[in-house]
Amino acid sequence: MSSQDQAGTAPVSAHDLAARFTEAFGGAADGVWQAPGRVNLIGEHTDYNEGFVLPFAIDRTARVAVAVRPDRTVRLLSTYGDQGIVTTSLDSLHPGTAKGWTKYPLGVMWALRQRGIDVPGLDLLLDSTVPLGAGLSSSHAIECAVISALNDLTGAGLGAEEMVLATQRAENDFVGAPTGIMDQSASLRGAKGHAVFLDCRDQKAALVPFETEPAGLVLLVIDTKVSHSHADGGYASRRASCELGAEVLGVKALRDVQVGDLEEAAGLLDEVTFRRVRHVVTENDRVLQTVELLDGAGPAAIGPLLDASHVSMRDDFEISCPELDLAVDTSRANGALGARMTGGGFGGAAIALTPVDAEQQVRTAVAKAFSDAGFKAPDIFTVSPAAGAMRIA
Ligand code: ADP
Ligand code: MG
């Protein structure tokens, strides 16, 4: 039973996508590549503090069929939305000029050209099963599928680390989103049955076993449908608090503060900054503890860490919202071993690690609780730790 079956969002097969490509653009595609969205298991707002995160690639992917063109024209089409074919040229790749979804593929092309890679004109068809704006990083799924395709088609031979930095450049400097390296690291480095333990200071990555099914568990995603936005002042102000905290404590980044330093830090920081700092410091510690448990006791043991992470985000970092709190509390009350909001906050999705036997009860209870509270109906589906970006045809 996959999330795709439950959500009715089965991906278009590589064969069908190639056929649709030919219908749309005429010639045949040179190949089809896919890259997954991601869920962050634990480690929230630790990335820009040079700390630890533990995301995993999910079984929902963006797929692109691509053909190189002999000229400088770029034609882009998504099966989602009604924008139709967008036609542009390699000569008009400038930051801030692209509109809609095309800024993601064009941003990747721009970033690769900035690196001196001779990206050709191309035709590209996108189909994705990663829900948009739910905090599962649908935008990075697109970017990682595109960079995988271009890396192969140009023979650039970039490794994962270089592709991570190029997609970050695309997001930061072309799209204009102040994102870190977590999402694309999960999408590019993920592996089936594993989470990606990532050190955001030096980009060191290690796969950690994370298999839900053999443990009799499912990981439920509860998309609250409350839209989150990085443009939101909330994100910028949290970042600013972290920078202030690091400055006052005299460290390069909050990564360098340990749980044992917090008591002293309380006397040096104003009350709000201290709580922001405490979230980041304890969250880093929870990531390390989670990795240790996954390496040993297994996934059923990490519930209390997920719960503690949510409380920290709700009370110390103050980035939750009533819908996320309700999703988390209701999941727990109905049998989930642990639950937390995931992603940047102020909306988006929660995750609930749930025994298979309790899955239906959690789903029903959350749907009812949302209805009783007068909230929009949430979208509830399972995800499993899946493979990272790859060529599929
Ligand atoms: P997230 O990455 O968390 O899903 P973002 O706001 O960063 O949220 O990215 C969502 C954007 O990605 C959408 O507004 C849209 O431009 C683009 N996008 C994602 N999936 C698709 C798709 N299948 N077709 C077209 N655009 C898409
Ligand atoms: Mg995104």
Side-chain angles (χ1 to χ4, degrees):
M1 187 168 53
S2 77
S3 59
Q4 277 111 11
D5 298 334
Q6 289 162 4
T9 51
V12 175
S13 71
H15 178 270
D16 288 354
L17 195 65
R20 282 211 211 172
F21 178 96
T22 302
E23 230 172 81
F25 294 116
D30 293 332
V32 180
W33 289 259
Q34 74 173 25
R38 65 97 188 93
V39 160
N40 190 21
L41 187 58
I42 196 161
E44 222 65 75
H45 288 263
T46 46
D47 56 348
Y48 54 82
N49 290 297
E50 301 187 14
F52 307 111
V53 293
L54 190 62
F56 61 96
I58 59 173
D59 50 339
R60 288 184 172 234
T61 57
R63 296 182 164 184
V64 293
V66 184
V68 168
R69 296 175 56 95
D71 57 18
R72 299 181 68 75
T73 300
V74 178
R75 294 192 296 176
L76 305 166
L77 176 65
S78 171
T79 58
Y80 176 88
D82 49 13
Q83 213 178 341
I85 294 178
V86 174
T87 303
T88 180
S89 156
L90 290 178
D91 303 312
S92 35
L93 287 181
H94 304 297
T97 54
K99 289 188 183 58
W101 75 277
T102 64
K103 57 186 177 245
Y104 302 109
L106 294 173
V108 169
M109 296 173 77
W110 173 83
L112 290 178
R113 291 182 72 84
Q114 293 295 111
R115 283 189 62 119
I117 294 165
D118 190 16
V119 175
L122 51 84
D123 291 334
L124 182 151
L125 172 63
L126 163 72
D127 179 74
S128 178
T129 57
V130 187
L132 285 73
L136 304 186
S137 231
S138 64
S139 60
H140 280 100
I142 298 172
E143 290 165 346
C144 292
V146 171
I147 202 164
S148 300
L150 294 178
N151 196 32
D152 286 355
L153 290 169
T154 61
L158 301 180
E161 189 167 339
E162 291 162 305
M163 288 199 277
V164 163
L165 294 178
T167 48
Q168 185 185 20
R169 179 113 204 254
E171 280 259 337
N172 293 171
D173 298 341
F174 193 90
V175 175
T179 52
I181 60 166
M182 169 167 69
D183 301 352
Q184 60 274 56
S185 295
S187 186
L188 291 164
R189 297 177 187 268
K192 193 171 169 12
H194 289 82
V196 180
F197 173 38
L198 183 69
D199 184 334
C200 296
R201 172 159 276 173
D202 60 7
Q203 234 200 90
K204 240 200 286 157
L207 293 176
V208 179
F210 177 53
E211 275 192 296
T212 44
E213 210 182 300
L217 301 172
V218 289
L219 198 94
L220 283 167
V221 174
I222 302 160
D223 176 5
T224 63
K225 305 284 187 69
V226 177
S227 79
H228 67 103
S229 168
H230 284 307
D232 193 7
Y235 182 82
S237 82
R238 295 311 180 279
R239 273 190 92 133
S241 287
C242 292
E243 277 159 27
L244 174 66
E247 196 188 314
V248 174
L249 297 175
V251 292
K252 178 165 180 280
L254 291 183
R255 143 69 170 276
D256 301 310
V257 182
Q258 310 303 319
V259 173
D261 302 330
L262 283 173
E263 214 178 291
E264 196 190 329
L268 300 169
L269 301 166
D270 67 83
E271 195 267 335
V272 171
T273 306
F274 173 68
R275 282 192 289 113
R276 305 297 188 247
V277 167
R278 181 166 63 184
H279 165 69
V280 173
V281 172
T282 57
E283 185 78 351
N284 271 326
D285 188 58
R286 281 185 289 270
V287 175
L288 298 177
Q289 289 186 53
T290 303
V291 169
E292 221 174 282
L293 286 175
L294 289 177
D295 271 331
I302 68 171
L305 291 167
L306 302 181
D307 292 345
S309 172
H310 186 77
V311 169
S312 177
M313 287 186 284
R314 186 192 64 198
D315 299 345
D316 274 355
F317 221 58
E318 296 181 283
I319 53 170
S320 190
C321 64
E323 290 84 351
L324 285 168
D325 291 340
L326 186 64
V328 164
D329 293 345
T330 310
S331 298
R332 263 193 232 130
N334 285 276
L337 301 181
R340 60 183 285 271
M341 53 153 284
T342 182
F346 310 108
I351 55 173
L353 186 66
T354 308
V356 177
D357 297 344
E359 178 186 348
Q360 199 47 54
Q361 191 181 330
V362 169
R363 282 173 177 270
T364 309
V366 170
K368 180 171 185 306
F370 270 59
S371 161
D372 289 350
F375 295 156
K376 218 186 216 180
D379 201 5
I380 307 176
F381 51 92
T382 61
V383 290
S384 43
M390 66 171 104
R391 184 174 190 158
I392 55 169

